[in-house]
Amino acid sequence: MKKMKINNMVSVLFSLILVLVSCDDNELNIDKAVKSNREMTITTDVVSTDFVGNGAQWGGYDVVPTWLGTETLSDADWNTLFQRIDFMRPPFLRIMTNSGWSYDNNGTYDKVTKTLSLFKMLDYAKSRNIEITYGEWGHQSVGGFGNIDMNWIANSVKFLNHLVNEKGYTNIKTINIINEPNGYWASTEGNYDIYRDVQLAYIEEMAKYALSSVKLMGPDIAVFNTASETEWITKTNNDLGDYVGLYDIHVYPKQQLIRNGEFSNMLRAYKKITPSGKQIVLGEIGFKYDEVDAELKRLNEEAIENDPFAGEDSNMMVYKSFYGIDMADALIQTMREGFSGSLVWNMDDAMYNSPDNGDYQTSKLKRWGFWNILGEELTSDVSDENIRPYFYPVSLLTRYFPAGSEIYNVELPDKKGVRAVVGMHNGKYTIAIVNSHYSTYDIVLKSDLVSSLTANKYRYKSNVDGSFVGAVDSDGFATPLESNVTLDFTKGLEMTLEGESFVLFTNME
């Protein structure tokens, strides 16, 4: 009997030990899983090479003579613009015009009278070796939008030749004829065949000049939030082939599409259909709010209503710091998907007006810019010339991902809103990380690409009240939070990534 009791006790104790060991194993497995989901690893996987660059839509100032009674901006305003763009150091810009704002002076070809602002911008871009995609908003027709005005074609190409070969703006690499041709608002009224015929007529006219270095950028379609327009890229490749130097799409996503990561899925569809050996960029990117972002839609409409200088085509959230987080997230997702750059809409409120009621001389602005350079002169509010929050992260993603960069993938933890990308140029590195969610995460940054790095650290944190945390200098430009930080990837760099924050490490100048 005693022997049986001892055996039973041994059996019970052994079972308890097994249970305890099993609990320890489960806890270890859970702890291991938790730690693993903190890891963010820079890989050796190259997602794109020969990066074109991030930049912005620049151009216009066409209504300045009407607004101010002067030919162009003041020298002081131009100098402020140049200083700010110098900090951005964009490798890529888009400058658009039309005949009436450039070479058509009341029906007469005139390359002097209306070109002062245009030449100011192109002179600046040439001096900084910035790649330009230049073009016209739409084609001209005779007796119906399907009948191309060949006189317009001749003058438009003649002016392009003047820019490239006579003025020496050889940094114009692509020509963008017809903005958003898939839209009902375009000069094509959404008709692909007309878009194709205009491009072919333009190419034929270009052959009369020494313009072989200039290629088309297209199809320049507005896709907004959908992957349903890929056939425009397929048709453009079939019909225009080697004449296309750069493919592009325009996106105006909902905030939710960005923050939940579905934006990447949409981009992937367009990247997949892009012809092998060709590059694709975002020709425009901004945010539009509809019922999906109902509260932002309401706030935007309310802000427009309360601003006598804001037109209907405005995003008033550019005054709020969260817009910088959304834009950083969008640009990082775009780079991660192998796109070769993005052009933010847009540089400056003062570039374009918003003729909501058909008044093309109105002083109501398209408020999307990093600033309004005419705050004092046009709106009697000098503070409106100040740099807005979203310039902080966008300027860094422009400055520190130079043309020619190799872009590397980063394996991400399963944490909502967290995205990261790495660029390498001439042996120097930039690491950009964003957390667009509200939660704060602890992460461990590792790398298979480089074992260690000494870099400057920039940090931008969006506050609920619309302000941001981020070091700036006396000009309002981003400055490092810390300089010469040692990043040891062999043991992993432990970081706290706050909600709605952006962090960038770089050893580039």
Side-chain angles (χ1 to χ4, degrees), residues 6-16:
I6 291 170
N7 287 340
N8 288 338
M9 288 176 65
V10 170
S11 178
V12 169
L13 286 170
F14 184 69
S15 296
L16 283 171

Side-chain angles (χ1 to χ4, degrees), residues 37-299:
N37 195 38
R38 294 175 60 205
E39 293 180 357
M40 177 183 291
T41 304
I42 301 166
T43 74
T44 57
D45 178 21
V46 179
V47 295
S48 72
T49 59
D50 196 22
F51 192 63
V52 177
N54 295 320
Q57 174 78 28
W58 195 30
Y61 303 112
D62 303 314
V63 197
V64 168
T66 300
W67 288 338
L68 305 184
T70 60
E71 284 189 274
T72 187
L73 305 173
S74 68
D75 287 344
D77 284 338
W78 279 117
N79 289 336
T80 298
L81 282 173
F82 296 157
Q83 180 193 28
R84 292 175 177 183
I85 301 171
D86 276 344
F87 179 78
M88 287 179 69
R89 205 188 294 159
F92 186 38
L93 294 169
R94 180 175 182 244
I95 299 177
M96 299 288 283
T97 186
N98 63 38
S99 61
W101 294 118
S102 50
Y103 54 84
D104 186 342
N105 190 2
N106 296 319
T108 300
Y109 179 82
D110 177 357
K111 58 191 181 186
V112 176
T113 305
K114 298 182 177 183
T115 51
L116 188 56
S117 292
L118 176 63
F119 291 166
K120 277 274 192 181
M121 291 181 287
L122 289 173
D123 283 338
Y124 170 84
K126 179 183 176 182
S127 70
R128 270 65 169 182
N129 197 31
I130 298 170
E131 178 173 335
I132 297 296
T133 185
Y134 162 83
E136 296 198 35
W137 293 110
H139 80 287
Q140 294 182 22
S141 55
V142 179
F145 72 96
N147 299 317
I148 303 166
D149 183 347
M150 299 309 294
N151 188 56
W152 165 74
I153 289 277
N155 284 336
S156 182
V157 175
K158 181 180 179 180
F159 186 65
L160 175 63
N161 180 68
H162 174 62
L163 296 179
V164 176
N165 292 320
E166 295 175 7
K167 295 287 289 183
Y169 300 130
T170 53
N171 54 319
I172 296 175
K173 300 298 184 184
T174 50
I175 182 77
N176 180 192
I177 299 298
I178 306 179
N179 179 68
E180 300 179 351
N182 63 321
Y184 65 85
W185 55 88
S187 65
T188 58
E189 298 184 9
N191 186 302
Y192 171 80
D193 290 346
I194 296 172
Y195 163 77
R196 175 202 61 209
D197 292 347
V198 170
Q199 308 305 307
L200 290 171
Y202 213 91
I203 290 164
E204 185 177 350
E205 188 69 18
M206 285 174 65
K208 299 176 182 179
Y209 299 88
L211 290 169
S212 60
S213 63
V214 182
K215 301 293 185 180
L216 301 178
M217 184 174 88
D220 206 58
I221 50 174
V223 305
F224 295 102
N225 298 282
T226 176
S228 65
E229 300 280 347
T230 54
E231 67 174 359
W232 274 77
I233 291 180
T234 303
K235 288 180 177 180
T236 298
N237 177 47
N238 291 340
D239 294 332
L240 302 173
D242 291 340
Y243 293 113
V244 180
L246 196 59
Y247 285 84
D248 85 303
I249 59 174
H250 293 188
V251 296
Y252 285 85
K254 303 173 179 67
Q255 185 192 60
Q256 286 191 27
L257 194 76
I258 295 296
R259 294 202 173 195
N260 64 21
E262 291 179 19
F263 184 60
S264 293
N265 298 332
M266 184 192 80
L267 293 175
R268 202 168 300 142
Y270 291 99
K271 174 61 178 174
K272 183 178 180 180
I273 207 71
T274 301
S276 176
K278 295 286 187 175
Q279 294 170 293
I280 185 169
V281 299
L282 299 184
E284 291 181 16
I285 177 171
F287 283 77
K288 287 184 180 286
Y289 309 115
D290 61 15
E291 286 70 19
V292 172
D293 299 315
E295 180 61 11
L296 289 176
K297 181 178 185 290
R298 184 189 69 79
L299 290 172

Side-chain angles (χ1 to χ4, degrees), residues 326-471:
D326 289 340
M327 190 60 80
D329 195 353
L331 295 184
I332 288 172
Q333 287 187 54
T334 304
M335 286 188 278
R336 286 176 57 85
E337 292 303 323
F339 278 61
S340 293
S342 299
L343 295 167
V344 172
W345 182 272
N346 61 23
M347 187 82 77
D348 184 355
D349 291 356
M351 299 186 325
Y352 309 119
N353 63 4
S354 182
D356 309 323
N357 60 357
D359 177 9
Y360 286 87
Q361 307 304 319
T362 181
S363 58
K364 286 186 176 290
L365 304 171
K366 289 179 183 281
R367 286 204 184 274
W368 293 82
F370 297 126
W371 49 72
N372 170 22
I373 203 64
L374 294 179
E376 180 179 15
E377 297 91 333
L378 182 63
T379 67
S380 301
D381 181 6
V382 69
S383 68
D384 204 31
E385 298 186 13
N386 293 343
I387 293 171
R388 295 169 188 159
Y390 89 110
F391 181 75
Y392 194 107
V394 172
S395 64
L396 296 177
L397 289 169
T398 299
R399 180 183 180 93
Y400 293 122
F401 284 87
S405 293
E406 288 186 348
I407 308 300
Y408 290 85
N409 187 37
V410 179
E411 290 181 356
L412 303 175
D414 183 17
K415 296 188 183 298
K416 187 175 182 180
V418 174
R419 252 76 64 176
V421 71
V422 171
M424 189 273 285
H425 185 255
N426 291 339
K428 303 285 187 178
Y429 295 88
T430 296
I431 305 165
I433 306 170
V434 67
N435 174 15
S436 61
H437 195 47
Y438 303 103
S439 299
T440 294
Y441 304 117
D442 291 326
I443 64 169
V444 178
L445 183 60
K446 296 185 174 183
S447 176
D448 297 330
L449 183 64
V450 59
S451 60
S452 65
L453 203 63
T454 300
N456 292 334
K457 177 183 179 180
Y458 295 83
R459 174 178 168 271
Y460 172 95
K461 170 74 173 69
S462 173
N463 293 328
V464 175
D465 64 1
S467 65
F468 69 90
V469 178

Side-chain angles (χ1 to χ4, degrees), residues 309-321:
F309 292 97
E312 291 177 8
D313 185 10
S314 293
N315 188 334
M316 305 301 283
M317 299 303 108
V318 295
Y319 291 94
K320 304 294 185 181
S321 59

Side-chain angles (χ1 to χ4, degrees), residues 16-31:
L16 283 171
I17 290 169
L18 287 176
V19 169
L20 290 171
V21 169
S22 177
C23 288
D24 286 343
D25 284 345
N26 287 335
E27 288 177 3
L28 285 171
N29 288 334
I30 292 170
D31 187 53

